[in-house]
Amino acid sequence: MVSAIDGTPCKLTVCRGCCCGTRKKVPGVDHKAQLARLSAIDDHAARRVPVRTSKCLGICFEANVVVVQPSRQGRAAGGNPVWLGRMTEDHLLEALDDWIFDGGPGIAPLPALLEEHVTSKDAKKPKKRKKSKKKSELSGGTESGKKSKKDKKDKKDKKDKKDKKRARKAEKKKKEEAGRT
């Protein structure tokens, strides 16, 4: 059995690139202080947890993303990397610190506070909810007689197609008549 001091501690990968760690994507967060806070985490054996920054982990809609790699002991116990998204508040970082101090993936259970932040590298961006259709559209009509942009475009496309077809027929007829004379 590996003792708590043997082996390597948990490791963190923190996304800080195109979206994560930027005021534009996540306003109101002191991203430098957050990274410093993550870099100050120690495990139960008083080992500093290594922190690596990544330019992009690919799930920008979950900004800020932190990946917790299990310690050697945690991996031996069956622990896997845990991806956490929307890690933007100090109390979440405290929960992460406590979890790593208790052993992290494979050793300690994930705190309930972090459960709703679990994501994965394969996470799919949630689809935007469709706006409900207006009552008049559901009944087949349009509100106050106005047509939607799509309806207007479809009608224009059909008209253009018919006009081109007519023009080709007229051109063909002219050529036929010119050939007869």
Side-chain angles (χ1 to χ4, degrees), residues 84 91-92 95-96 99 108-118:
L84 300 167
H91 69 280
L92 297 172
L96 177 62
W99 181 44
L110 183 70
L113 187 60
L114 297 178
E115 285 179 3
E116 66 183 49
H117 293 271
V118 172

Side-chain angles (χ1 to χ4, degrees), residues 126-145:
K127 293 183 179 182
K128 291 184 179 179
R129 294 175 66 182
K130 292 183 179 180
K131 293 181 182 178
S132 62
K133 293 188 176 195
K134 295 178 184 175
K135 187 176 180 180
S136 61
E137 290 176 12
L138 292 173
S139 64
T142 56
E143 191 173 60
S144 68

Side-chain angles (χ1 to χ4, degrees), residues 58-180:
I59 53 172
C60 301
F61 59 93
E62 291 280 359
N64 289 343
V65 178
V66 177
V67 182
V68 184
Q69 298 284 339
S71 64
R72 179 176 285 164
Q73 184 183 12
R75 182 144 333 254
N80 291 311
V82 176
W83 288 61
L84 300 167
R86 303 173 321 278
M87 297 293 289
T88 57
E89 299 172 27
D90 291 336
H91 69 280
L92 297 172
L93 301 182
E94 287 299 321
L96 177 62
D97 187 341
D98 293 344
W99 181 44
I100 290 173
F101 185 81
D102 292 341
I107 304 294
L110 183 70
L113 187 60
L114 297 178
E115 285 179 3
E116 66 183 49
H117 293 271
V118 172
T119 186
S120 75
K121 65 181 176 182
D122 301 320
K124 301 291 182 211
K125 185 174 183 175
K127 293 183 179 182
K128 291 184 179 179
R129 294 175 66 182
K130 292 183 179 180
K131 293 181 182 178
S132 62
K133 293 188 176 195
K134 295 178 184 175
K135 187 176 180 180
S136 61
E137 290 176 12
L138 292 173
S139 64
T142 56
E143 191 173 60
S144 68
K146 294 181 183 177
K147 294 189 177 187
S148 72
K149 287 182 183 179
K150 186 179 183 311
D151 290 340
K152 288 179 183 178
K153 185 181 182 319
D154 288 347
K155 190 172 182 178
K156 185 181 181 309
D157 289 345
K158 283 182 183 179
K159 185 179 182 300
D160 289 346
K161 208 174 193 180
K162 284 181 182 179
D163 289 347
K164 286 180 183 178
K165 192 174 182 179
R166 284 186 193 132
R168 281 194 303 265
K169 280 185 178 180
E171 186 68 32
K172 187 177 178 181
K173 192 174 183 179
K174 281 184 185 180
K175 285 183 182 178
E176 287 176 0
E177 287 177 5
R180 288 185 203 159

